[in-house]
Amino acid sequence: MKLSLPRAVRASPYRPVVAHPVLRRLLPGYTVSSLGDGMAVVAVSWLAVELAPADDRGIWVALAAAAYTLPGAAGAVLLNRLLRGLRPARLATWDALLRAGALGAIPLAHTMGALSIGLYVALLGASSVLHSWGQAGTYTLIARQLPEGHHLAGNAVLSTIGSVSTVTGPLLAAPLVIWGGAASVLAVVAATFTILAATLRLGAPPDADPTAPDPADQAFRTSGFGVIRHDRGLTGLLLLSAGFFLLFGPVYVALPLHVTDDLHAPVGMLATFYSLFGAGAVAGALLTGYLRRLPLGLAAAGIVAVAGAALLPLGLGAPTPAALAGFALVGLLWPPYSAMSTTLFQRSTPPALLPQVLAVVSAVRTLAVPLGTFLGGPAVAALGPTRTLLVSAVGMLALGLAAAAALPRRGRSADRDRPPAAPAPKPPTASHS
């Protein structure tokens, strides 16, 4: 007797992704490494606290957190000539191997008594140099393995893995820090990236890739910035993403001060805000695959506007339950926006140029939130936390509405919203690279 799957499972937009002969071999590795990334959120800052001089702990903790993410943005630009012709799986593998090696050197140096705070920050920085290219390789791999209609679901699967890991990773890291110290947690994190590298090496498609550019081709020589600059749709989408994440950055400064100074609430209230955001993100990631029939360009712009409206209760000093509900809604919207915008880049870029374009996108996203957070400091000093939250909310709302209004009419109908494929760029000049 042949067993049939439940109708809900058969109708799920995620079934073609998890059942894909290549992706089903790779997703476990991404799940493990994403869990390691979630654990690193706790371990990176905690080990910095242990290593830094008591008088300068704040500075060194900030440097350690920045070193774990920001060098990837620089790598997207500085390593463009070296990496833009590599196949996607190799980009992701090299990123995983570098992370495993650099992070694994931290507990080794700690065991030998040679780990200073300076060496620690340097190793964290080295671990993230290829991360924008690794992200580009991963999402290019998704685009090349799945039909266009399943790109959103494929991106949403990765968003779901990441969202769940941001909740479970810290919970797993805390007892491990107590039991073996923060350095031992980073050893576990390094092991998770080793598993990802091995998974990619064994499970990714062979080197022969019909869409990969030949070194003599113009695609091999073109930078991601050059591709985006020659396509108005891609430029607008990149600016929308940069603005959205930049405007959210001040929230990380203003919200804790709003809780303590305006609400006079304990740290548990701040934890509640972030827990609801995380729960919303998990739900949003699971929901994203079911939104594939929406006009993605209009939906992405609408998400930015709705996220701004959802932050208005915080900025207007509304009762706490309304502010909590609004912040949870922002969390719900975050994964759909990331998946939709990535899908639009995948659909609108010639396959041979996709890795370098997605590397630029990853770099911009990596820089935008920290830059917004940095700007949040003087904003809070000048305006106060509540008004800073209001500025962020109104800015997002205005940005989303402006982006929606700027869309061409054909961008407002389902399945015809993506911008036209980027034309073959002009011969690159030195400034493109």
Side-chain angles (χ1 to χ4, degrees):
M1 180 179 178
K2 185 177 180 180
L3 296 177
S4 61
L5 293 172
R7 182 177 179 181
V9 174
R10 286 186 279 113
S12 170
Y14 301 115
R15 187 181 173 216
V17 180
V18 298
H20 189 276
V22 172
L23 297 182
R24 71 184 179 192
R25 298 196 300 266
L26 301 182
L27 288 175
Y30 279 108
T31 301
V32 171
S33 68
S34 185
L35 188 62
D37 235 356
M39 296 170 67
V41 171
V42 174
V44 165
S45 58
W46 199 263
L47 186 53
V49 170
E50 294 177 355
L51 294 173
D55 294 339
D56 298 321
R57 280 180 176 171
I59 294 174
W60 284 108
V61 169
L63 286 173
Y68 190 65
T69 56
L70 293 183
V77 178
L78 299 177
L79 300 176
N80 179 61
R81 288 182 179 273
L82 178 65
L83 300 178
R84 63 192 175 198
L86 294 181
R87 70 187 182 95
R90 186 163 296 179
L91 290 172
T93 302
W94 284 14
D95 173 42
L97 286 173
L98 181 59
R99 289 205 152 206
L103 294 177
I106 292 172
L108 180 61
H110 188 268
T111 301
M112 298 171 62
L115 187 64
S116 65
I117 184 64
L119 176 60
Y120 176 55
V121 170
L123 288 171
L124 287 175
S127 75
S128 66
V129 166
L130 295 180
H131 194 51
S132 290
W133 287 101
Q135 291 283 90
T138 295
Y139 285 100
T140 301
L141 191 62
I142 290 285
R144 291 182 181 175
Q145 292 298 314
L146 293 172
E148 183 178 285
H150 295 151
H151 286 176
L152 181 63
N155 298 332
V157 167
L158 292 181
S159 294
T160 301
I161 291 171
S163 297
V164 172
S165 296
T166 60
V167 177
T168 58
L171 295 176
L172 289 175
L176 288 177
V177 169
I178 296 172
W179 175 67
S184 66
V185 177
L186 289 178
V188 175
V189 175
T192 66
F193 284 108
T194 303
I195 292 172
L196 175 59
T199 302
L200 287 163
R201 181 68 182 86
L202 298 174
D207 282 337
D209 186 347
T211 62
D214 183 89
D217 289 345
Q218 184 179 328
F220 184 88
R221 305 191 305 271
T222 305
S223 74
F225 285 108
V227 177
I228 293 171
R229 190 168 59 190
H230 284 91
D231 186 278
R232 291 180 60 187
L234 295 180
T235 301
L237 182 58
L238 186 66
L239 291 175
L240 177 65
S241 295
F244 182 29
F245 296 135
L246 181 73
L247 287 166
F248 189 80
V251 173
Y252 289 111
V253 180
L255 182 58
L257 295 175
H258 173 69
V259 169
T260 57
D261 297 351
D262 299 332
L263 301 181
H264 306 290
V267 69
M269 178 59 68
L270 180 62
T272 301
F273 272 101
Y274 284 128
S275 295
L276 288 174
F277 184 94
V282 172
L286 292 170
L287 175 67
T288 300
Y290 294 92
L291 306 178
R292 61 190 183 276
R293 295 189 183 279
L294 294 178
L296 297 186
L298 185 59
I303 283 174
V304 176
V306 174
L311 278 179
L312 283 176
L314 266 172
L316 294 173
T320 301
L324 288 169
F327 205 61
L329 178 58
V330 177
L332 181 76
L333 296 171
W334 197 271
Y337 178 82
S338 295
M340 286 177 179
S341 59
T342 299
T343 301
L344 285 169
F345 276 108
Q346 290 167 328
R347 290 180 176 181
S348 307
T349 306
L353 298 170
L354 191 54
Q356 45 267 56
V357 167
L358 291 181
V360 170
V361 174
S362 178
V364 169
R365 290 177 177 177
T366 299
L367 283 174
V369 173
L371 179 58
T373 303
F374 175 78
L375 296 175
V380 168
L383 303 174
T386 303
R387 288 184 179 177
T388 299
L389 290 167
L390 181 60
V391 169
S392 288
V394 172
M396 289 183 201
L397 180 58
L399 176 65
L401 292 176
L407 283 172
R409 286 189 176 275
R410 61 180 177 79
R412 301 165 191 265
S413 58
D415 293 331
R416 293 188 300 168
D417 64 307
R418 63 182 187 272
K426 298 175 183 177
T429 63
S431 64
H432 288 181
S433 300

